Amino acid sequence: MTAETGTRASRDGRFDPSTYEEKWRQRWAADELYTARDDDPRPKRYHLTMYPYPSGDLHVGHWYAATGPDIVARMHRMRGANVMFPMGFDSFGLPAENAAIARNIHPATWTKANIERMRVQFKTMGAMFDWSREVVVSDPGYYRWTQWIFLQFLKAGLAYRAMAPVDWCPKDKVVLAREQVEGPNRVCWRCGTPVEKRDLEQWWFRITNYSDELLDFSGVDYPEPIKLMQTNWIGRSEGAEIDFPTEAEDREPIRVFTTRPDTLFGATFMVLAPEHPLVSVLTTDDRRADVEVYVAGARRETEIERMSTEREKTGVFVGAYAINPMTNERVPIWIADYVLPGYGTGAIMAVPAHDERDFAFAKKFDLPIRYVVLPRGGTAPDGEAFVAHSADEVLVESGEFTGMPAAEAITAITKALEESGRGQIAVTYRQRDWLISRQRYWGAPIPIIYCDEHGAVPVPEDHLPVVLPEDVDFAPTGVSPLQSHAEWLSAPCPECGKPGRRETDTLDTFIDSSWYFLRYCSPNDDQRAWDPEQARAWMPMKVYTGGAEHGVMHLLYFRFFVKALRDLGLLDVDEPTLKLRNQGQILGADHNRMSKSRGNVQAPDELVARYGSDTVRAFLMFIGPWDQGGPWNPSGMEGIYRWLGRVWGVGLPSTGGPAAADEELARALIRVTHTTIAAVTEDYEEFHFNTAISKLMELTNAIIRAREAGHAGGTAYADAVDTLLVLLAPVTPHIAEELWERRGHAYSVHQQPWPEADASLAASDTIELPVQVDGKLRDRLVVTVDTPAEEIERMALTSEHVQRYLAGRPPLRVIQIPGRLVNVVTPKA
């Protein structure tokens, strides 16, 4: 049956999803079938998939991301858990603001209309979302608590304001967090525009307070790529901090971090990042003009340009010297763009004999190169740095440490520096604090009032939320649109009551998603961000799903939030989720990520109208491994539709006579039923939906064969069909519900207990044993599982294929591995 003929069918028993899918969605909603109740005595399980940005319409990528976790949530609900599976909308942010500017409408109007449309489209999926817990982050009732969390962080010293060079997107006219700058060309994560550097006073969160704890994944099940991404992003390095005094009077020493203190005797010059605060202090008057020109040029370069190993090294001598704390030698201080301000301390001790970049720099500017680590008895390489380690490397030309193995010297030299007060053991991180200020309108206002007398003053908690004014010109200008709203901008100082000015930056929208999962625990509580009792009952999440592209943004931030809130006494858990799974991306037919701007979006609506929701759900889960995704190709949709048509055929109540008395056929059907239960349960748990559907197809075919053999009236047949419907219910909830009712069962199939596989019934009555002769396969035996070893040996020795190699001789011995193989060893000639 084709989709066209199927949609013309009526409720006379022909397969037509349009006749029942909407009916069941309305029934489930009216019965609040999927509402998770706090007082439900069943064990609580919190499942969540990342909420979407309300861009206007769902595409098949949204369905792909949501259907998988919906299957798993449904299965656990049927296994006896009180499953919470809520949904909401990540409704603040630049896309809404930019779309509103382009359409000349207010972001709130555009966002609200999109949410209403997407909510309807989500419900068409038939997913078990608990809409009673919906959160919308642009609702003042939500961002009131986002602002409250900011104030708690501020009181705890986790939020602070500081001047710093920041990454600026010239297209969106907004500051970006470091994690939002992507790729070697340093482009904006959202629009792809190369970013620039600007010095601005901004608000930050001290995420670096938790760097070490964020490296600990014990007790959680995260995909290895996510753990690696976060580990590399945090970038923990162990080594030593060393102070190099300068010759300038009353000036602080230059502090460097190195993982190789054993090479300190080879440090022949120093290099500061052009942005280092000591550059202006140490530069002599005769070098200042050249230094300032170089600094200005370096700030215009991208990080990848500065770090390139292929470009010629450049730099400028600042005219000052430092003192090597081990040799007391004067070493010249340079600036060079290959040293970055965000790594280590922004200053390095240059050891050209043992670092390729320092070597190239020293060669360019004729600076000393001194080898201080070499293989024992070895000689210095000719014309290159010695960077490859060897097991026997020792220190040379290193004073009292000469001859010491390099690994031991790292500890010994660090200890000597500590004793002299010139260094110490240290750990450094690539990760920097989280920049949270945004110079745009559509976000939660930062709850701060500036007073000439008292500085930055928090808005009192009972004055929250600080609500966004609606009548604002939000066109991007490089400063916050809120600065143009004089009435909103003016506010009395909470400390003294004198005129003050509101903070006009808004909070990074990743803050909204760093705690939204907590709000689902008590979404209607207007006295607290979350009910502590309900948070204890539901948290941590059992399973969280979403895109791997959020690995060092949202998936790092929400871990930081939970740990910080725990330390503030507001939570009792260490991690937001015990298990994380990432779906792959459904690409457009052009193999690019689906987006309206590319014109490659596939909307599900027309597919649902033609095939039904269940077909679209099953097709998306069948196209390949869920964690891999792939380009959109609907050519297999008809095949899934035909399979569900066959399910419809076997699921309708049987009208035939009594079943044929074929015990072997009944046992075979029971066996495949129980093997399918075991396999599908495991596959759902592991998010292997494509293989689960393949096994459900095999069970369907087995049921059809039994029916064709006249077995449709038997108990084994009825049990197999009922089991098929229950196993199908998480993937194709509508057809499972319709056939369950038609078979005369009580409502609802989604409230049935999950079937348990019986290993004894799943076991095969027979097994196939490979028969080898001298280790090479020569035959196979089919025997019952309880066949005695003596009988197996007799059958093997009488095999004509074995006799050919024995040639009438008795075997030297017969080796059996029970249930696996038989090996006949022939006598030597």
Side-chain angles (χ1 to χ4, degrees), residues 621-635:
M621 295 301 97
F622 189 60
I623 58 177
W626 185 75
D627 62 348
Q628 294 181 21
W632 172 251
N633 183 351
S635 61

Side-chain angles (χ1 to χ4, degrees), residues 133-202:
R133 294 177 182 265
E134 180 188 81
V135 299
V136 178
V137 303
S138 56
D139 185 327
Y142 180 89
Y143 68 75
R144 166 191 180 182
W145 300 112
T146 303
Q147 294 170 339
W148 177 82
I149 292 172
F150 170 87
L151 295 179
Q152 308 318 301
F153 280 22
L154 183 64
K155 285 189 288 187
L158 290 173
Y160 65 96
R161 193 166 184 250
M163 178 71 76
V166 296
D167 292 308
W168 173 265
C169 175
K171 180 177 184 295
D172 289 331
K173 293 182 169 48
V174 66
V175 168
L176 301 174
R178 193 157 169 258
E179 295 87 344
Q180 295 165 342
V181 179
E182 294 185 336
N185 294 321
R186 290 178 46 77
V187 299
C188 172
W189 73 286
R190 193 178 291 281
C191 68
T193 304
V195 304
E196 302 171 353
K197 287 287 186 183
R198 286 194 177 185
D199 289 324
L200 292 173
E201 196 162 28
Q202 303 283 286

Side-chain angles (χ1 to χ4, degrees), residues 548-740:
E549 66 271 18
H550 298 293
V552 295
M553 289 189 285
H554 166 59
L555 291 174
L556 192 64
Y557 295 152
F558 86 145
R559 296 182 64 217
F560 157 61
F561 254 57
V562 165
K563 296 172 189 300
L565 292 169
R566 174 207 60 200
D567 289 349
L568 295 178
L570 299 171
L571 283 179
D572 297 326
V573 296
D574 299 321
E575 292 281 354
T577 184
L578 298 178
K579 183 176 183 177
L580 172 71
R581 288 296 179 266
N582 303 122
Q583 80 273 2
Q585 288 188 357
I586 294 294
L587 307 176
D590 57 1
H591 290 245
N592 289 312
R593 184 174 182 176
M594 283 191 179
S595 70
K596 290 181 179 179
S597 62
R598 293 192 178 101
N600 63 355
V601 170
Q602 172 63 62
D605 303 45
E606 61 186 77
L607 299 172
V608 171
R610 184 178 183 187
Y611 296 105
S613 297
D614 285 341
T615 299
V616 179
R617 286 171 60 103
F619 172 74
L620 287 170
M621 295 301 97
F622 189 60
I623 58 177
W626 185 75
D627 62 348
Q628 294 181 21
W632 172 251
N633 183 351
S635 61
M637 191 80 69
E638 286 280 354
I640 293 293
Y641 185 84
R642 288 193 295 270
W643 167 54
L644 292 181
R646 293 194 296 273
V647 171
W648 181 265
V650 300
L652 290 174
S654 175
T655 57
D662 187 338
E663 293 185 7
E664 179 57 34
L665 183 59
R667 283 198 302 271
L669 187 56
I670 292 170
R671 184 163 56 249
V672 72
T673 299
H674 282 267
T675 57
T676 304
I677 292 170
V680 168
T681 302
E682 181 179 355
D683 280 345
Y684 285 172
E685 191 69 63
E686 296 302 322
F687 287 73
H688 298 161
F689 308 115
N690 59 322
T691 54
I693 292 172
S694 179
K695 287 154 189 165
L696 291 169
M697 290 177 173
E698 293 172 6
L699 177 58
T700 305
N701 292 336
I703 294 172
I704 291 172
R705 288 193 298 269
R707 182 184 63 188
E708 292 172 347
H711 206 73
T715 301
Y717 182 91
D719 289 345
V721 173
D722 288 348
T723 299
L724 173 64
L725 296 181
V726 172
L727 295 176
L728 271 171
V731 182
T732 56
H734 307 85
I735 189 174
E737 190 76 280
E738 178 70 14
L739 290 174
W740 190 257

